[in-house]
Amino acid sequence: MTFFKKPKKLIQEKEAPIQQDSPQEDNSKDNESVTVQKLSLDEMLTKVKEPFSATEDLLTHEIELPSDKSRIALLYIESIVDKQLVQSMILNPLFVTDKEINFASFKQMASIDLKKHTEIKQVQELLLQSNTLIFTEDTSCFYAMSTPVKTQRDITEPDNETIIRGAHEGFIENLSMNLALVRKRLKTPRLTVKYLQVGKETHTTIALLYVDNICDPEHVKEVDKRIKSIEADAVYTPGNIEESIEDKPFSFFPQMLSTERPDRVAANLMEGRVALIYDTSPTAHVMPVNFFSFYQSVDDYNKRWHIGSFFRFVRIMGFFIAMGLPAVYIAIVSFHFEVIPFGLILLIKSSLEDIPYPPLFEALLMELTIELIREASIRLPTRIGSTIAIVGGLVIGDAVVKAGLVSNLMIIVVAITAIAAYIVPSNEMSAAVRILRFPFMVAAATLGFLGIVFGFLILIFHLCRLYTFGSPYFAPIAPLNLADLKDAFIRAPFWKQNTRPKDVTAQKVDNANHTRKWDKS
Amino acid sequence: MKKILTVLPVLLLLTGCWDQAMLNQTKLITAGGFDYTKDGKVLTTAAVPQSVAAEAGKGNIVNQIFSASGNTARQSRLRLDRRVAERLDASKNQIILFGEDAAKKDIYQLLDVFYRDPKSALNAKLAVAKGKASDVISTRFEEPKMSSGVGEYLRDSIISAEESATVPKENIQTVCPVMFDPGQDFALPYLEPLKKTVSIRGVALFHEHKMVGTIREPLSVTYTMLTGEKHTIAMNTTKKIFKNKKPELMNYVTIKVKKNKRSFDVDVTPEGKVSAEIKLKMKVIVTEYPSDNLGTPGEVENVEKRLSKKLTKDAQKVIVKLQKMNSDPFGVGRHVMAYHYPVWEKLNWKEVYPKIDFKASIDVDVIGHGIIE
């Protein structure tokens, strides 16, 4: 217990100083901007460039306008600015026109992207966000135009969440494009995007998405609060954020659903959940989620509902197989072999007869081997990957048995377990299940079936106690909600799914799915 | 927290293997036999299949037969264990055989050990062997070379006899409550070892814990019918219903029972006289009738009449035998006990049962005669 409480205290202690610090900072910067107003253009430029030390990709272009001979200066970071855009959006309108033009008229005809700023403290941020800044001789203000370099990749289906039918779109590393992908699916004015920035130096932008009239405002407040409390120089990946804001950092289970599918995010938003989309990462996080969210796949909803239900059920079975099968095998062959049917026992016995070590060791050996193969195949390029398949499949599968190191049956158990673990649509949950199988194996080897029962008890205690962002994690089983089981163990038909899950405490519970009214008359 | 973190791994490491029962370090008994030696000791014989080739499925099974004697069943088992490498385990036992002499003494004394052990195989078949159980188990049977040993072979033989209704379905568990019931007895399959096969010769009847006699094969089917067995996969019986047709086989008819309805009445007169009657109504199919012409009018009725008469006679024979042996497998006593307890209390059932008025009748209804008429 105490183990879990300590980190919370730390956060509370840290929160206080932030609030004290921030007003002071603001004051100092305000003073600065006041003094700046009296500077000349040259002085202004040196002042602005100062914080960037000696970086050579920060470029300045000084131009004398032909009309009124006034000087303007363009300031941008070369590496993140599309020079073509600068040329076409700023320089061309200024020079390549028939009319004599001055900056004042340019302002009027310039695109919507041109924004006027007066606060000099914004310069850094704007420059780093791919803006081109225009300084004029009137140093009381400056103009910024967004000229980002287009380096985004194509929108492709995420490799880690492929489906058979349904949209084959996935998030990319560009926040505005990702938001577009979600907005495309939810054309409602109530879809709200809230930008948050994390990381003192990295200034990572996070978009907090929710549907205003469905989502529980408490969830939004909570997520917002937790993200704002993050104090770090750098936030590199969504994983950093996830670990910073999740409820139980010591739990094996993922407490946020990470997905790269905009359709999955959109569906979850409409269920009343909150989503986080990160700039520079294709991963989005959905919260609060329950255990069964990880077993839902977009594919389920594109199949006929009986089939979808069947596969949902198969996945839940997969959870138990992946977690328990090696443990059950160990328990049976080392404690309770009387449960094996007579017709099978001599077969099993004969395959086990000459194995030199206990079943636990045998199982650990093979499970670790499978994990080794898996890990190796992730890192290797596809062309070498086939080598792994041969080495892993043939050498380890066949030769190990022939050499008498591992029993035939163990290979079967390990293979089924591995397949069952990868059946989970969520990679995080799959990893959790794979890790959990090891304590189960140890428990089975020490106490047999009793050990497995203890293991599952502890697991269920944990799942029932787990809350994420104020929502019960093991809903709809604990607390039991029969109506919500329609999208947990099975996938009820669309026209039956007319309430939102209770555990997300949505503002509107009824989602008005009355799609078969024509059938009633 | 630190305490828990240190205690947990220590607990895991210290558990040891005190209650482990590793499958690859046990020898599974598939058939067990009990006899008494001349000096009154219990002789236990066990068949342990040992697979030779490691390749699964092709495994050649060699049966090892061990035997040891002791003052009690358990002691002989323990001594047996000492003669065998690895640990002996009876949880997958398929059959327990009693030598005829052992069965006539008392089978509960020998079975006691199975009822106390939570791991014992309660679904193992029980059977009585003509002669010595050890002889049956150590016979090198023709068939088991292919399958997985004596135990399975003997069990399958009994199962096939059960299916043809030659013997009633019994195992260690089903026998237990009946064994302690003063109002009911039971019967077990009676085996006779031939040279390279084993033959189920009928049923061995018990009174309390002791075997009191046998009913041999064709009649044992009638016995099974009388127990009220609804129908088994092949409840077949061949009966001689004519006397003087030539050749001899023309006198016979074979029937297969499709439905067997039993009504069992036990009456107690106010004076305390007990009488019982079993009436069977059977729907049967004629599966063999060499005389043919079942299509001619009246023939079916004729067969029905003769069959009913013959079967009733057989049933009566069975009951007379049972009363002579003083074995009450139909539970007449149980009925008396349940519905007429004051009478039951006054009776000395052991002495009354052989003398009660016990009738049986079988009424046959032919509902089919195969695909030809």
Side-chain angles (χ1 to χ4, degrees), chain B residues 112-299:
Chain B
D112 179 75
V113 70
F114 295 94
Y115 294 123
R116 286 181 200 281
D117 183 4
K119 277 184 116 183
S120 70
L122 288 179
N123 60 351
K125 299 284 175 202
L126 290 171
V128 177
K130 193 181 178 189
K132 285 210 172 283
S134 58
D135 292 342
V136 177
I137 290 176
S138 44
T139 312
R140 291 203 160 271
F141 294 108
E142 192 74 22
E143 277 186 73
K145 280 178 193 163
M146 297 298 152
S147 66
S148 51
V150 184
E152 203 185 6
Y153 167 68
L154 291 174
R155 181 203 61 187
D156 288 349
S157 307
I158 289 174
I159 287 176
S160 96
E162 281 169 359
E163 280 169 1
S164 63
T166 315
V167 296
K169 285 177 188 160
E170 297 285 5
N171 58 36
I172 298 186
Q173 192 172 12
T174 57
V175 156
C176 179
V178 184
M179 201 150 46
F180 293 103
D181 188 345
Q184 194 167 6
D185 296 315
F186 59 97
L188 295 178
Y190 183 68
L191 306 178
E192 189 179 332
L194 304 174
K195 259 181 192 167
K196 285 196 164 177
T197 51
V198 69
S199 169
I200 314 284
R201 272 301 155 86
V203 291
L205 274 307
F206 281 75
H207 176 63
E208 286 172 349
H209 303 164
K210 291 185 188 81
M211 175 180 160
V212 285
T214 59
I215 294 179
R216 290 304 173 105
E217 192 250 310
L219 220 50
S220 72
V221 178
T222 316
Y223 164 80
T224 313
M225 287 169 181
L226 285 172
T227 60
E229 182 73 56
K230 287 263 161 30
H231 76 279
T232 57
I233 293 170
M235 193 190 266
N236 284 313
T237 184
T238 306
K239 292 287 167 203
K240 188 177 182 180
I241 54 171
F242 298 108
K243 271 185 183 156
N244 34 25
K245 286 197 182 178
K246 293 274 166 178
E248 176 65 13
L249 67 85
M250 298 289 273
N251 293 326
Y252 288 86
V253 61
T254 307
I255 54 163
K256 182 177 176 185
V257 179
K258 288 306 253 182
K259 230 181 205 172
N260 181 13
K261 209 174 148 196
R262 181 172 89 145
S263 66
F264 181 33
D265 292 315
V266 176
D267 272 333
V268 179
T269 58
E271 298 88 56
K273 237 185 142 233
V274 180
S275 65
E277 185 171 17
I278 295 178
K279 279 185 190 161
L280 293 185
K281 276 195 174 169
M282 289 197 293
K283 297 210 155 114
V284 304
I285 288 175
V286 176
T287 52
E288 187 189 35
Y289 186 56
S291 319
D292 202 10
N293 63 32
L294 271 178
T296 49
E299 184 67 14

Side-chain angles (χ1 to χ4, degrees), chain B residues 24-81:
Chain B
N24 55 359
Q25 287 164 19
T26 36
K27 279 211 157 67
L28 298 169
I29 297 176
T30 58
F34 290 110
D35 293 301
Y36 282 103
T37 56
K38 273 177 195 156
D39 49 353
K41 286 191 171 177
V42 179
L43 179 75
T44 304
T45 313
V48 178
Q50 201 69 18
S51 58
V52 179
E55 284 282 313
K58 294 174 194 165
N60 227 349
I61 307 245
V62 171
N63 278 291
Q64 293 174 307
I65 313 292
F66 301 100
S67 60
S69 61
N71 289 319
T72 63
R74 181 54 95 189
Q75 195 183 30
S76 63
R77 244 295 290 288
L78 294 174
R79 284 187 180 161
L80 200 62
D81 216 341

Side-chain angles (χ1 to χ4, degrees), chain A residues 333-334 338 340 342 349-350, chain B residues 21 23 26 51 92 94 119:
Chain A
V333 298
S334 50
E338 59 272 12
I340 309 172
F342 180 73
K349 192 168 152 54
S350 70
Chain B
L23 178 59
T26 36
S51 58
K92 283 282 138 190
Q94 297 300 300
K119 277 184 116 183

Side-chain angles (χ1 to χ4, degrees), chain A residues 2-3 333-335 337-342 345-355 358-359 442 445-446, chain B residues 1 12 15 19-24 26 28 30 49 51 54 56-57 61 86 89 91-92 94 119 148 152 155:
Chain A
T2 48
F3 202 62
V333 298
S334 50
F335 285 91
F337 56 79
E338 59 272 12
V339 302
I340 309 172
F342 180 73
I345 194 161
L346 289 174
L347 223 68
I348 294 175
K349 192 168 152 54
S350 70
S351 92
L352 272 177
E353 207 61 76
D354 302 320
I355 305 303
V442 174
T446 43
Chain B
M1 195 65 209
L12 283 178
T15 44
D19 61 346
Q20 266 194 347
M22 302 283 260
L23 178 59
N24 55 359
T26 36
L28 298 169
T30 58
S51 58
I61 307 245
E86 300 182 340
D89 188 284
S91 64
K92 283 282 138 190
Q94 297 300 300
K119 277 184 116 183
S148 51
E152 203 185 6
R155 181 203 61 187

